[in-house]
Amino acid sequence: MSKPETGQIDSVMQEDRQFPPSTEFSAKAHIGSMDKYHDLYAKAKDDPEGFWGDCAKEELHWFEPFQQVMKQDGSEYSWFLEGKTNVSYNCLDANIEAGHGNRTAILWEGEPGDTRALTYSELHSEVSKFANVLRGLGVASGDVVSIYMPMTPELAIAMLACARIGAVHSVIFAGFSAGAIADRNNDAEAKVQLTSDGLFRRGKILPLKETVDEALEKSPTVGKCIVLRRAENEVSMVPGRDFWWHDLMAEAADVCAAEPLDSEADLFILYTSGSTGKPKGIRHTTAGYNLWTKMTFRWVFDWQPEDLYWCTADCGWITGHSYIVYGPLSNGATVFMYEGAPNHPEPDRFWEMIDRHKLTILYTAPTAIRAFIKWGDEHVEKHDLSSLRLLGTVGEGINPEAWMWYHEKIGYGKCPIVDTWWQTETGGIMMSPLPGATSTKPGSCTTPLPGVVPVILDESLQPVPANQGGMLCIDQPWPGMLRGIWGDQDRYVDQYWSTAPGKYLTGDNARVDHDGYYWIMGRIDDVINVSGHRLSTIEVESAMVSHPAVAEAAAVGRPDEIKGQAIAVFVSVKGAEASEDLRAELKRHVRKEIGALAVPDDIRFTEALPKTRSGKIMRRLLRDIAAGKEAAGDTSTLEDFSVLAKLQGDEE
Ligand code: WTA
């Protein structure tokens, strides 16, 4: 009965709901109609150099103009050659020159409830001072600065200060272990470490400096460490190596001209976990990245000067780099930034802050949305969320049921939702609705942004027909693309450019429907192959989550003698007993929703799923567990080891 192996993936998901933008929203939007979108899209596709060349001249400040828009050399791409610009100048000086010095750049709230606001002029002065501090410690253009800090304004200040003097930042999420910091520091040959005494998380203090002390014992290239005082916990300072942030700042001049930097000067490295072994340091450079984040922020969030925009990510992830710091600030936006947990002191913290600050745009992750649903609607209903006008998601596919909850409970049915598909490697958003133009469909990231040319290929590299899943590739270079893997260009070529020569391999599967809408189906490695039918994890999971008792689900394949693979689903429930009856009911539910083929063979109830520190389900570990093996491979990105232990039965 098995089908010939073509590499195609069978789609079993049917979602017909559509949500067009309101006429009021469209009337004020930057891109207010599909005609305008099609026009921009055609221009960027047909004449990318003309299109991006014009955008770059208009949107960025140039100390020296570029001479060529794009150059390709094998799998290496350069943009805006011979031009000189500075990302920190574009985010700060340019806005002040445009008369926005007194506009709030960052409105910040700490977990204990303390708040601060920094105008563009104040941020400029802090960044200039800290740039002088870094120079004073011997940091020069091209040196790597490792940042392991809480979500405070100083984290953004540190990033912008590096950008100002051409230092390359490597931000490491402040939840990683000492070993993970040391690995990244050594790979990058970081020269200076930035950290804080501690940070607040769910009312407790996490002692960051202690972790850094341990990391620095194993980071021989790091000679200096700057420590921000945040939590006032005791720390030990190593004389000659460690300095207090406030001591150095007290002495620093607040004038530091932005250094004219080559368009292709490295702006940052950001480590992302490979599926096996060593984390990869994704490289992004100056001009192309800046342009991509600036344009996509304005298009996708339809940013307007009066908006109070909140992205709930941490600056330790690409979402924080591109859509807390560089994209919004280069547009002159006011960014709300929050330090702590979503459920401290109570599970209504997000809604309470949106209500109190009257925030207008919320950009968050599906994993957070599923947690809010599980915590109960009463926390949301206590607050007035009518200030919101736009919602966004990123990081994983959003299950249609979670999308509908977000739409109704948070957006009051009136806010467009932008489901943004992109990756650390792509620098910024690649596919997303344009909120004033696109009719959205729950679960679809809809259509590619101007300049993004996706293709979906089967394993013989042929384009697949509509509604067939296959490998998602990008067929045309774009300014925000990664430039390489730090110290390992061979791995870069091998990983991203060798499967389909000349095309960027995203590593995700997707299908496109008859309206030209894209549906991400999960990672290529996660496909489940049942009797020759290749099924998408996201589709099986969405069917499970559409049952009211299910909070979250993760589907994986396990070896099966007859079918090749059987489907195992790990399920966490809300407000229901995990029972045999529920198990049988869930199987019936999937059969009804998507058909017999996708009915899980095993359903395992669990309190929580193993996730990365950025909230993605680690299906790789679950595959091992479903197959009855010890979970192997890299677990350094796992957020909570006790979840894995429980699933493996180590605790019984
Ligand atoms: C997944 C995050 C479905 C996808 C910006 C991608 C998504 C990986 C979406 C990149 C989405 C991200 N719908 N899947 N809207 N957004 N992904 O590098 O598998 O942390 O390849 O970048 O997340 O994750 P990364």
Side-chain angles (χ1 to χ4, degrees):
M1 275 281 292
S2 92
K3 283 201 317 183
E5 197 43 86
T6 58
Q8 289 176 352
I9 301 159
D10 298 321
S11 173
V12 285
M13 184 152 127
Q14 180 81 22
E15 174 58 65
D16 298 321
R17 290 171 284 201
Q18 279 212 39
F19 298 84
S22 69
T23 37
E24 300 98 277
F25 198 102
S26 299
K28 286 193 257 164
H30 293 291
I31 301 178
S33 69
M34 283 312 272
D35 285 349
K36 185 147 184 220
Y37 160 68
H38 288 307
D39 180 47
L40 278 175
Y41 191 84
K43 283 198 179 111
K45 187 172 179 202
D46 299 342
D47 177 19
E49 304 215 1
F51 183 83
W52 293 115
D54 289 347
C55 290
K57 279 184 206 146
E58 205 162 302
E59 301 288 341
L60 304 180
H61 163 85
W62 294 96
F63 295 101
E64 280 174 37
F66 54 90
Q67 304 299 328
Q68 189 184 343
V69 174
M70 204 275 289
K71 192 178 109 196
Q72 178 185 359
D73 180 7
S75 304
E76 306 206 343
Y77 295 82
S78 327
W79 288 81
F80 312 116
L81 290 90
E82 291 165 68
K84 291 211 188 304
T85 183
N86 184 293
V87 180
S88 146
Y89 188 99
N90 293 323
C91 289
L92 302 170
D93 308 59
N95 283 310
I96 295 169
E97 282 160 24
H100 308 314
N102 292 330
R103 184 185 286 170
T104 303
I106 298 177
L107 172 63
W108 173 83
E109 181 159 321
E111 195 185 74
D114 43 341
T115 58
R116 275 162 69 194
L118 286 155
T119 64
Y120 273 88
S121 294
E122 288 163 342
L123 186 61
H124 179 264
S125 147
E126 292 295 296
V127 168
S128 302
K129 274 206 252 176
F130 197 66
N132 285 327
V133 164
L134 290 173
R135 280 207 175 129
L137 289 188
V139 176
S141 173
D143 286 343
V144 177
V145 175
S146 169
I147 305 183
Y148 185 76
M149 289 177 68
M151 277 290 286
T152 53
E154 283 77 11
L155 174 47
I157 290 167
M159 292 164 74
L160 290 161
C162 289
R164 203 158 182 86
I165 61 172
V168 183
H169 58 70
S170 163
V171 184
I172 302 169
F173 173 65
F176 275 111
S177 65
I181 303 171
D183 285 348
R184 288 159 176 73
N185 283 350
N186 291 329
D187 185 75
E189 299 183 44
K191 198 166 171 184
V192 169
Q193 179 75 58
L194 312 181
T195 190
S196 71
D197 47 3
L199 68 74
F200 294 104
R201 192 78 191 169
R202 282 192 195 94
K204 296 205 183 72
I205 292 174
L206 274 177
L208 296 195
K209 176 63 165 57
E210 219 175 278
T211 307
V212 161
D213 285 337
E214 196 187 326
L216 293 191
E217 279 171 27
K218 292 175 280 182
S219 311
T221 58
V222 178
K224 307 272 186 242
C225 175
I226 305 178
V227 186
L228 176 76
R229 184 172 279 156
R230 167 65 188 138
E232 313 259 341
N233 51 317
E234 278 288 314
V235 297
S236 61
M237 300 288 279
V238 176
R241 187 194 73 179
D242 299 348
F243 304 86
W244 284 109
W245 179 291
H246 56 266
D247 288 344
L248 298 175
M249 287 293 266
E251 309 273 294
D254 64 357
V255 178
C256 175
E259 199 167 311
L261 295 169
D262 194 273
S263 291
E264 284 297 337
D266 281 299
L267 176 65
F268 65 84
I269 316 170
L270 185 57
Y271 284 88
T272 161
S273 57
S275 50
T276 48
K278 192 168 148 220
K280 302 174 281 192
I282 302 298
R283 281 180 49 221
H284 282 288
T285 59
T286 296
Y289 172 82
N290 195 169
L291 183 64
W292 193 252
T293 53
K294 183 172 184 189
M295 304 286 296
T296 54
F297 176 74
R298 199 160 66 221
W299 284 335
V300 172
F301 298 103
D302 185 47
W303 173 76
Q304 310 283 347
E306 57 280 7
D307 274 316
L308 261 175
Y309 159 88
W310 183 22
C311 165
T312 70
D314 190 285
C315 288
W317 313 120
I318 191 69
T319 306
H321 284 60
S322 301
Y323 298 110
I324 295 177
V325 181
Y326 295 117
L329 296 182
S330 48
N331 280 287
T334 300
V335 177
F336 178 70
M337 187 174 178
Y338 170 58
E339 176 184 38
N343 53 354
H344 186 83
E346 296 297 330
D348 68 341
R349 181 64 185 264
F350 274 20
W351 322 119
E352 189 273 324
M353 290 192 297
I354 289 171
D355 189 356
R356 181 158 40 84
H357 294 290
K358 303 290 171 227
L359 306 182
T360 63
I361 302 176
L362 173 67
Y363 188 32
T364 192
T367 182
I369 295 171
R370 291 191 300 261
F372 297 135
I373 297 173
K374 192 171 176 177
W375 294 340
D377 292 356
E378 63 274 21
H379 304 293
V380 176
E381 285 161 2
K382 269 196 254 169
H383 301 284
D384 175 10
L385 306 180
S386 58
S387 58
L388 288 171
R389 65 176 200 96
L390 177 70
L391 305 174
T393 68
V394 60
E396 282 177 291
I398 176 161
N399 320 113
E401 290 315 303
W403 195 103
M404 288 306 298
W405 182 90
Y406 199 32
H407 173 72
E408 283 162 12
K409 290 287 165 190
I410 309 304
Y412 295 171
K414 71 172 169 61
C415 301
I417 296 181
V418 290
D419 171 352
T420 64
W421 175 83
W422 58 295
Q423 310 177 295
T424 303
E425 291 87 341
T426 67
I429 297 168
M430 300 290 277
M431 296 205 236
S432 168
L434 295 168
T438 316
S439 281
T440 50
K441 298 186 189 183
S444 168
C445 59
T446 74
T447 51
L449 296 185
V452 176
V453 183
V455 281
I456 301 178
L457 304 177
D458 66 19
E459 276 169 0
S460 50
L461 306 182
Q462 296 307 307
V464 299
N467 279 327
Q468 284 281 358
M471 297 184 286
L472 176 63
C473 298
I474 309 292
D475 206 2
Q476 188 173 290
W478 67 100
M481 65 201 299
L482 79 163
R483 299 300 196 266
I485 294 178
W486 189 262
D488 199 347
Q489 284 313 84
D490 290 346
R491 190 173 176 197
Y492 159 75
V493 174
D494 181 56
Q495 179 119 28
Y496 301 108
W497 300 98
S498 61
T499 305
K503 297 179 172 61
Y504 167 78
L505 179 76
T506 67
D508 284 347
N509 283 314
R511 72 179 162 99
V512 63
D513 69 17
H514 288 292
D515 298 328
Y517 278 47
Y518 285 78
W519 299 77
I520 304 296
M521 300 171 85
R523 301 292 297 167
I524 290 174
D525 300 339
D526 290 341
V527 166
I528 307 172
N529 193 330
V530 182
S531 307
H533 295 278
R534 289 160 50 92
L535 298 175
S536 125
T537 50
I538 291 190
E539 293 190 348
V540 177
E541 290 158 10
S542 290
M544 294 297 276
V545 174
S546 71
H547 189 281
V550 175
E552 247 186 340
V556 298
R558 68 153 169 80
D560 181 274
E561 270 180 23
I562 295 162
K563 296 191 279 190
Q565 284 192 317
I567 304 175
V569 186
F570 294 77
V571 172
S572 78
V573 293
K574 57 173 181 217
E577 282 289 304
S579 65
E580 274 313 310
D581 283 354
L582 181 59
R583 195 171 269 134
E585 190 185 320
L586 290 176
K587 289 189 182 180
R588 278 197 301 277
H589 178 74
V590 174
R591 181 184 300 268
K592 185 171 105 277
E593 289 288 302
I594 55 177
L597 184 65
V599 173
D601 297 82
D602 309 340
I603 293 180
R604 284 182 59 173
F605 294 108
T606 169
E607 244 167 67
L609 296 168
K611 290 187 185 168
T612 63
R613 289 160 214 263
S614 66
K616 290 192 215 303
I617 296 168
M618 290 180 85
R619 293 184 187 75
R620 181 166 53 81
L621 300 182
L622 292 172
R623 262 199 309 271
D624 288 343
I625 293 168
K629 292 192 291 195
E630 186 79 3
D634 177 25
T635 52
S636 70
T637 56
L638 182 65
E639 197 213 358
D640 179 356
F641 282 89
S642 70
V643 173
L644 186 61
K646 275 186 202 144
L647 284 165
Q648 292 186 151
D650 296 357
E651 293 199 333
E652 281 158 15

